Amino acid sequence: MNQLFKKRKEQISIVQQFFNRVVKTEVKVVEASQLVICDGCKQAIAPESIKANQGVCIHCGYHMRIGAYDRLSLLLDEGTFREIDKKRTSFHVNDFPGYKKKLYQYQQAANVNEAVVCGSGQISGVKVAIAVMDSYFMMGSMGSVVGDKITKTIEMATQKKFPLLIVSSSGGARMQEGILSLMQMAKTSAALARLDEAGGLYISILTHPTTGGVSASYAMLGDIILAEPKATIGFAGRRVIEKTINEKLPDHFQTSEFLKEKGFVDQVVTRHQLKDTCSKLLQLHQGVNL
Amino acid sequence: MKSMSAWERVMLARNPQRPKAKDLLPHIFEDFIELCGDRHFGDDAALYGGLATFEGTPVTVLAQSKGRNLQENLECHFGMVSPEGYRKAQRLAKQAEKFHRPIITFVDTAGAFPGKEAEERGQAEAIATSLKLFATLKTPIIAIVLSEGGSGGALALSVADRIYMFENAIYSILSPEGFASILWKDESRAKEAAELMECTSFDLLNKGIIDGIIEESEGGLHQHQKTAILLLKEILRKELGILSKKKVKQLLDERYKKFRVMGNV
Ligand SMILES: [Zn+2]
């Protein structure tokens, strides 16, 4: 399977993979014309124009979900990414009914082995430790392997004195792994506490969606928290809340803009400005970690 | 009682007659003094906190509180804690660290409160900050899962040096109903979910998540609580003795490792 994987990767460039992904899973394909429908404005758009615009709708500015490798190529200086734990999978974690099959299916559909891609790289020449979640893999849910890879990335930041970036995109903890998934919230938060004590910088980037156990652990613990426009961010699910309080919630509830208004996000930053914003923040902290 | 099904234990854990933290505390601690408020917005009755002595030693007690009658149930949101509750816990925990008091928590919640105001006031941030704070708090922490430990709402009070569960308590990623609803879009399959979830005290001991089980007598805690209270006091006495002798660095290193290895597969 690995061979196949490699072969496929050689065949298509990162840009093309991105193009495929958008067509395949995010938006509905309109007949043979290959046009895609934007989730934000429901208009049909040529995939080339979405691709050229970093996955952002050319009509309404809606930020579509993008995969981990596409995100890395937007954020990091070209050719600087060094991945860790690329091959780790979760097949051996437990025998929960249907879990292994699901993992296999998602590995086929998404271009990743698990819901997070971790490593080090450079942003405008500054070395960083970085973890990027991929919501195309089981809704970016956090199981043991995801939690452990993120913890390792945080520990790398602490040990090597790299600033840390985590791009969150997740529905929360992974049900199939039960209590062990829940414990990843404690594990990642404990690692962040140590980074904090060591004086390390952590920039948390929230993208659509950042909810449940991920929002209630590392996503909300950044020294600086940035969010992409109109991302859904919150702890409890919208429907659960509506059922509990027996009323309908306003449209903008649990959006990036809503969280900024309530004081939980520093800035809402468009995808086009994200690298530049991170780069400026990193420059401002240069030497601080040393 | 090991032969019971997980669902039977869920039923015992949720039995309305089952003692709540407020029922048990007077039998465990002396001189409880309640401390209120998060100093930011309000006071959350779902998180009952204060000072007490345990056999002469001052301790800080943080207890999730479901309420013992309908009036209390409503005031406490049935034990579902709001951001103000988690922030009150953080405040009292920092105080415990300052005055070198051990912290003893009682976990009893189906989950954090899923309300509009709770989200507006940062439920996610409140839980996340609790997890981070308790991970490096320079004082011993012992968590006792009393009945129900559900989701991040329970975890926020169980980042501890020792975690014990009452025999018929459950501790899980989500309530069986929530689990069934997410996995099969069908809440009514909660019973089936409970059996799959590995949420009983014996499951959690096997998985290395908890340190021990506080045995309950036949029929559950509400039938006979005296023996269980004596067992709990014995555990607290023993563990406080061990933990308070540790140097802070060792205590924190061991706490870090405890969670660091969970799910390392
Ligand atoms: Zn659009």
Side-chain angles (χ1 to χ4, degrees):
Chain A
M1 206 195 95
N2 260 331
Q3 276 293 67
L4 262 176
F5 192 70
K6 224 172 153 188
K7 223 173 171 185
R8 205 178 119 213
K9 265 212 83 176
E10 282 161 8
Q11 285 167 350
I12 38 180
S13 73
I14 281 183
V15 180
Q16 278 166 328
Q17 286 168 37
F18 171 46
F19 160 89
N20 283 346
R21 185 96 50 82
V22 167
V23 174
K24 217 163 27 190
T25 39
E26 168 70 354
V27 268
K28 298 135 217 152
V29 181
V30 178
E31 299 293 294
S33 67
Q34 287 265 326
L35 291 181
V36 295
I37 304 288
C38 166
D39 269 357
C41 63
K42 310 291 174 207
Q43 291 196 64
I45 318 160
E48 294 80 11
S49 24
I50 302 171
K51 172 186 67 179
N53 202 30
Q54 305 186 358
V56 177
C57 174
I58 48 163
H59 300 302
C60 71
Y62 180 79
H63 284 52
M64 299 174 189
R65 293 191 285 143
I66 56 173
Y69 289 110
D70 300 321
R71 171 72 64 182
L72 284 161
S73 69
L74 294 179
L75 278 177
L76 296 180
D77 302 344
E78 208 182 331
T80 62
F81 185 54
R82 300 284 172 272
E83 187 168 355
I84 58 165
D85 288 347
K86 185 182 171 69
K87 290 185 177 154
R88 278 181 78 180
T89 61
S90 303
F91 288 103
H92 56 290
V93 175
N94 66 23
D95 290 318
F96 191 88
Y99 186 33
K100 287 188 173 78
K101 192 177 162 202
K102 231 179 185 162
L103 287 168
Y104 181 75
Q105 285 168 343
Y106 276 103
Q107 283 191 346
Q108 301 302 304
N111 187 29
V112 284
N113 284 324
E114 249 304 339
V116 70
V117 175
C118 301
S120 61
Q122 293 183 20
I123 296 181
S124 306
V126 181
K127 276 188 184 161
V128 297
I130 186 165
V132 177
M133 302 193 76
D134 194 317
S135 62
Y136 287 102
F137 192 98
M138 285 187 88
M139 266 320 280
S141 59
M142 171 165 62
S144 306
V145 169
V146 170
D148 198 57
K149 284 176 75 170
I150 288 175
T151 305
K152 264 175 95 170
T153 311
I154 301 167
E155 288 172 341
M156 169 173 47
T158 310
Q159 279 150 20
K160 297 195 170 174
K161 300 190 184 302
F162 290 167
L164 169 73
L165 265 84
I166 301 179
V167 182
S168 291
S169 178
S170 169
R174 187 171 295 173
M175 293 301 136
Q176 289 85 348
E177 289 188 29
I179 196 81
L180 288 178
S181 287
L182 189 69
M183 293 302 143
Q184 304 312 309
M185 294 168 66
K187 182 155 116 184
T188 51
S189 302
L192 285 171
R194 293 199 152 190
L195 174 68
D196 207 11
E197 285 183 343
L201 168 70
Y202 166 34
I203 301 174
S204 173
I205 299 167
L206 316 181
T207 72
H208 181 69
T210 300
T211 58
V214 168
S215 75
S217 56
Y218 51 87
M220 278 295 159
L221 293 174
D223 295 300
I224 293 159
I225 303 181
L226 308 175
E228 283 196 339
K230 300 221 167 67
T232 298
I233 305 162
F235 180 63
R238 190 185 188 89
R239 267 172 304 158
V240 177
I241 302 170
E242 287 182 339
K243 209 178 136 193
T244 306
I245 62 173
N246 200 19
E247 71 181 82
K248 205 161 154 35
L249 293 163
D251 282 345
H252 75 303
F253 189 75
Q254 294 185 321
T255 59
S256 308
E257 293 74 13
F258 179 85
L259 264 87
K260 178 167 174 274
E261 184 191 311
K262 299 295 171 194
F264 294 98
V265 160
D266 286 292
Q267 269 195 32
V268 178
V269 182
T270 65
R271 197 169 289 164
H272 294 92
Q273 295 168 322
L274 197 55
K275 178 168 183 174
D276 195 42
T277 305
C278 289
S279 164
K280 280 178 187 154
L281 288 169
L282 291 168
Q283 297 297 335
L284 273 167
H285 288 83
Q286 275 285 67
V288 171
N289 287 15
L290 311 166
Chain B
M1 283 187 35
K2 284 194 186 187
S3 60
M4 282 167 68
S5 75
W7 185 249
E8 286 174 291
R9 291 190 199 278
V10 172
M11 291 292 99
L12 274 182
R14 290 175 178 172
N15 188 309
Q17 302 303 315
R18 189 174 172 87
K20 309 289 185 290
K22 275 187 182 174
D23 299 312
L24 296 182
L25 296 186
H27 302 288
I28 303 165
F29 305 101
E30 306 95 45
D31 330 310
F32 187 88
I33 303 169
E34 186 179 6
L35 299 175
C36 296
D38 69 347
R39 299 296 190 269
H40 293 288
F41 183 83
D43 184 54
D44 182 4
L47 197 291
Y48 181 63
L51 307 178
T53 54
F54 175 75
E55 299 180 343
T57 308
V59 294
T60 290
V61 178
L62 302 169
Q64 286 172 330
S65 189
K66 282 183 173 173
R68 294 162 296 182
N69 51 53
L70 190 61
Q71 170 79 22
E72 280 187 16
N73 290 156
L74 294 172
E75 282 167 13
C76 300
H77 283 146
F78 292 86
M80 295 186 286
V81 178
S82 293
E84 295 73 49
Y86 294 115
R87 291 184 185 124
K88 169 160 67 172
Q90 290 162 24
R91 181 174 78 82
L92 299 186
K94 282 186 208 158
Q95 229 174 64
E97 180 184 56
K98 177 178 173 185
F99 297 111
H100 309 287
R101 283 191 294 265
I103 298 169
I104 298 160
T105 73
F106 290 84
V107 176
D108 190 5
T109 185
F113 186 61
K116 183 167 176 265
E117 287 80 13
E119 291 288 316
E120 286 174 344
R121 295 200 287 270
Q123 189 68 284
E125 186 275 342
I127 294 172
T129 301
S130 287
L131 299 178
K132 187 179 165 197
L133 174 72
F134 279 75
T136 48
L137 216 51
K138 297 179 183 68
T139 198
I141 311 167
I142 300 173
I144 310 292
V145 184
L146 174 56
S147 301
E148 256 186 302
S151 93
L155 183 66
L157 279 190
S158 38
V159 174
D161 301 300
R162 297 286 188 271
I163 309 165
Y164 282 84
M165 272 175 86
F166 275 94
E167 183 180 345
N168 294 312
I170 56 164
Y171 187 10
S172 55
I173 188 167
L174 204 59
S175 67
E177 288 77 8
F179 193 86
S181 145
I182 287 190
L183 225 54
W184 307 307
K185 315 250 175 286
D186 185 1
E187 245 185 55
S188 67
R189 288 171 73 181
K191 192 173 168 180
E192 203 180 321
E195 306 304 327
L196 259 181
M197 287 171 78
E198 303 185 303
C199 60
T200 71
S201 58
F202 299 100
D203 293 327
L204 270 83
L205 190 65
N206 276 338
K207 284 180 169 290
I209 305 292
I210 63 168
D211 297 279
I213 295 172
I214 306 155
E215 221 176 285
E216 295 180 24
S217 47
E218 201 73 35
L221 196 58
H222 61 291
Q223 299 289 1
H224 188 76
Q225 63 181 49
K226 265 195 184 146
T227 324
I229 288 171
L230 285 177
L231 287 172
L232 172 58
K233 289 180 80 164
E234 203 179 298
I235 286 165
L236 292 178
R237 193 178 307 128
K238 183 189 91 184
E239 295 293 7
L240 285 175
I242 295 170
L243 295 171
S244 54
K245 282 192 196 74
K246 290 186 194 282
K247 293 226 165 69
V248 167
K249 190 180 180 306
Q250 189 192 355
L251 186 74
L252 295 187
D253 281 349
E254 287 176 6
R255 192 184 304 157
Y256 189 78
K257 274 184 205 132
K258 182 183 179 70
F259 288 91
R260 184 68 185 83
V261 299
M262 287 183 189
N264 277 13
V265 281

